[in-house]
Each structure stands twice: as C-alpha cells, then as structure tokens.
Amino acid sequence: MIEFVPLQLLDDIIQAYNLGQVLIAVFVLAVLGSFALSKKLLSLNVVLFGVVFLLAPSNLSPLPYKMFGLALIVIGPVLYTTARS
C-alpha cells in the first residue's frame, strides 16, 4: 500500500527551484495577504523578507536575491513612515 505523503510532493517541487525563487513566491503571497489589512503591516512584512533574503545562505541563494533583500530593507522603512494606518 502506497500512502500519499505531502512532504515528498513538496520536496519534488522545491528541488527544481533554488531558495531565492521559493522565497520570492512566498514573499508575493505574503504581500498579497497583508496588502488589504494595513500598510504598516505590509511595510513590516517587506522588512522581514528583506532580512530573510539577506541572511539566506549564499550557496542556496544567488547574489541578486541578496541585493533584492537589501533593496527591501531600504524600501520597508520608507513605506512604514508614509503609511497612515
């Protein structure tokens, strides 16, 4: 009897992509989820993902993703200060 194990399916999907690409997908989903709630929450989300992109191991995530993380760290506080709610 073969059982369906969702972790094997997830592992097969993730092996085709690097960590930066997976983080981009999660970041887009998180931005879409927090966009309707609050702009301050959105900006905190942007800063958090900037830190995650920057601290990701360099052998799993190429340099452009680290630069994207640095840009998010710069953009996040600007969004926070311009948010009204």
Side-chain angles (χ1 to χ4, degrees):
M1 177 192 278
I2 298 174
E3 295 179 25
F4 178 70
V5 180
L7 290 178
Q8 290 175 351
L9 178 65
L10 184 66
D11 188 44
D12 290 340
I13 292 170
I14 291 178
Q15 281 184 351
Y17 304 104
N18 64 20
L19 181 65
Q21 293 169 334
V22 172
L23 285 175
I24 288 280
V26 173
F27 172 68
V28 167
L29 291 175
V31 164
L32 291 175
S34 63
F35 187 71
L37 297 176
S38 169
K39 288 184 181 177
K40 286 192 177 189
L41 179 65
L42 174 68
S43 64
L44 292 174
N45 193 9
V46 167
V47 171
L48 175 71
F49 270 98
V51 170
V52 169
F53 274 111
L54 203 60
L55 294 179
S58 55
N59 60 350
L60 297 177
S61 177
L63 184 65
Y65 294 109
K66 296 208 180 278
M67 294 298 147
F68 181 65
L70 189 62
L72 289 178
I73 290 175
V74 171
I75 292 170
V78 174
L79 288 174
Y80 190 82
T81 57
T82 59
R84 291 185 179 173
S85 60

